Amino acid sequence: MSSMRINQNFKQGIYFITLSVKNLYYIFDRHNRFEILEDSFVYCQKHKGLKIYAFVFMINHLHFLGQAPDMIRVVNSLKSYLSYELQKNIIATEPRVLDLFKEKDGYHFWQDKNYPELMTSEEMLEQKYNYIIYNPVRKNYISLPEDWLWSSASKLPSKITISNI
């Protein structure tokens, strides 16, 4: 079982990260929200040193294999920025949906746990890579990984830069 947190001693390692929407509510499939996800990753690549080796954006969660000088800060930054941008987008497009995320101290869009897994072997890295790119196929959204537009397996160019390991 992996740790629930990124280990401070290995914060520069390559991690498999999952960010899931609270209650797994389907939220990304409309109102340009996939673009909001993409923009946040591009920002972290340019300003936080994030390297992405694989990613997939699904309708209620995302996975990525990544590395950064401080992955703890990157994940916190991603979640914070995305929460802010999602709130703005939902207010503008579906204000009643916002109630699903309301808590005593504000709005919470993300499940608390990211289940980060430090990559410790080539086999583990390959398994997580395949898990990421085949996620939309397993969900029966598409037949081939490259047909999912919001994945590093896509045939279409993305603003997100994929790093070589």
Side-chain angles (χ1 to χ4, degrees):
M1 180 76 161
S2 62
S3 169
M4 300 277 207
R5 297 182 183 269
I6 295 170
N7 186 317
Q8 184 68 30
N9 296 322
F10 300 107
K11 65 184 181 183
Q12 294 180 351
I14 298 174
Y15 279 90
F16 170 79
I17 305 284
T18 299
L19 301 180
S20 298
V21 175
K22 195 164 194 147
N23 300 318
L24 294 176
Y25 184 76
Y26 292 179
I27 195 166
F28 298 129
D29 59 338
R30 58 196 180 276
H31 303 295
N32 300 314
R33 294 182 187 139
F34 281 128
E35 287 86 352
I36 293 171
L37 293 175
E38 182 178 47
D39 290 345
S40 67
F41 275 82
V42 170
Y43 177 86
C44 285
Q45 286 185 304
K46 289 180 180 174
H47 301 286
K48 307 249 182 229
L50 176 63
K51 293 180 183 176
I52 296 177
Y53 304 112
F55 74 94
V56 65
F57 300 157
M58 301 296 284
I59 58 178
N60 61 2
H61 68 284
L62 61 93
H63 301 291
F64 72 97
L65 273 171
Q67 184 177 30
D70 187 345
M71 188 59 87
I72 296 168
R73 278 191 36 206
V74 168
V75 170
N76 288 339
S77 179
L78 276 171
K79 288 173 82 173
S80 177
Y81 174 81
L82 287 169
S83 293
Y84 175 77
E85 291 299 318
L86 287 171
Q87 183 175 340
K88 282 189 343 186
N89 179 280
I90 292 169
I91 287 170
T93 60
E94 303 177 287
R96 292 177 55 194
V97 168
L98 204 55
D99 293 340
L100 298 170
F101 302 100
K102 187 161 179 60
E103 294 189 8
K104 292 178 194 173
D105 60 341
Y107 297 99
H108 294 270
F109 293 97
W110 302 105
Q111 291 185 5
D112 291 334
K113 297 176 178 72
N114 304 322
Y115 300 103
E117 292 183 57
L118 179 63
M119 298 295 99
T120 57
S121 69
E122 287 293 322
E123 292 89 5
M124 186 179 194
L125 188 63
E126 184 178 344
Q127 187 270 333
K128 293 303 181 185
Y129 176 84
N130 287 326
Y131 181 86
I132 287 171
I133 66 169
Y134 282 96
N135 200 261
V137 175
R138 281 191 306 280
K139 294 285 187 180
N140 292 315
Y141 297 159
I142 54 169
S143 298
L144 299 170
E146 57 269 20
D147 292 339
W148 188 251
L149 300 180
W150 297 102
S151 164
S152 53
S154 173
K155 292 184 243 179
L156 297 177
S158 170
K159 290 188 242 174
I160 297 173
T161 304
I162 304 300
S163 301
N164 293 325
I165 297 177

